[in-house]
Amino acid sequence: MGMFGKKIAEAKPSEGTGMFFPPGHYPVVQVKQLKLVTSKDPKKGNAELFIIVADVLESKEASRPAGTQDVAQILNSNHPGAADDAKRFILALFPGIDENTINEEGITALTSVEQPAFGRLVSLETYEKVNEKNGKKFTKHIWRPVDDATQARAAELRAKAGLAPLSK
């Protein structure tokens, strides 16, 4: 077996893309996929993971410029703020929705093969924060809606970022 074949055989697949959002401002990102999976990592104790995968259409962060694809945020059910963060993301994705209407069936629908959020645009700002309880650093994600005029320009903004038209 060749060297790469050996690496593939020894690899431990992860739920994410390996590409994340470092601290910065991303005025427009486009949702490619939403996933809800159970972690295969024994250190995560069978945590459920809500995974947001997006392409960057506009960026003010040099390490993730416009045109960067498959950037992810992974929300771990074992983390106390993860459910709130996921709900804030959904509210940014669908502005005007009543937060009380977000239920388990809706989450299942969002993460299904139909992918109803596919292609939607949102804005993102991230910054480094320190957990007050354990002192560990993490990246906080603040998702915001974009206006309808920007949503309508999704294909144009994608082309401007140098990306091919979005397709499932």
Side-chain angles (χ1 to χ4, degrees):
M1 180 180 334
M3 187 63 109
F4 188 56
K6 182 178 179 183
K7 286 182 180 180
I8 293 170
E10 294 172 353
K12 298 205 182 324
S14 67
E15 291 87 3
T17 62
M19 179 91 64
F20 58 91
F21 290 101
H25 185 215
Y26 309 88
V28 182
V29 299
Q30 188 170 40
V31 174
K32 283 181 87 171
Q33 186 176 27
L34 300 178
K35 302 177 195 179
L36 187 60
V37 299
T38 301
S39 176
K40 296 173 186 81
D41 183 345
K43 291 183 276 184
K44 292 183 178 158
N46 292 322
E48 288 183 276
L49 306 175
F50 183 77
I51 304 170
I52 303 161
V53 181
D55 290 343
V56 179
L57 303 189
E58 291 182 5
S59 175
K60 296 184 179 181
E61 172 54 44
S63 68
R64 298 291 183 273
T68 305
Q69 297 185 64
D70 299 321
V71 186
Q73 178 187 13
I74 300 175
L75 295 164
N76 180 326
S77 65
N78 289 338
H79 296 166
D84 290 343
D85 290 344
K87 195 167 203 175
R88 280 193 297 277
F89 167 76
I90 294 166
L91 292 170
L93 196 58
F94 300 106
I97 190 172
D98 178 353
E99 71 177 84
N100 295 313
T101 64
I102 299 171
N103 58 27
E104 190 173 351
E105 292 79 22
I107 303 306
T108 300
L110 276 176
T111 58
S112 70
V113 295
E114 285 81 26
Q115 290 292 307
F118 179 81
R120 298 268 316 158
L121 304 180
V122 284
S123 179
L124 174 63
E125 188 172 344
T126 59
Y127 62 93
E128 197 170 80
K129 188 173 178 179
V130 177
N131 181 309
E132 294 173 8
K133 292 181 183 175
N134 63 21
K136 290 184 179 179
K137 292 181 182 179
F138 66 98
T139 303
K140 180 70 176 169
H141 295 63
I142 306 296
W143 295 95
R144 293 186 177 94
V146 298
D147 58 40
D148 290 340
T150 303
Q151 287 288 348
R153 296 179 45 231
E156 172 192 337
L157 293 170
R158 190 167 178 81
K160 184 178 175 186
L163 296 172
L166 192 60
S167 62
K168 285 188 181 183

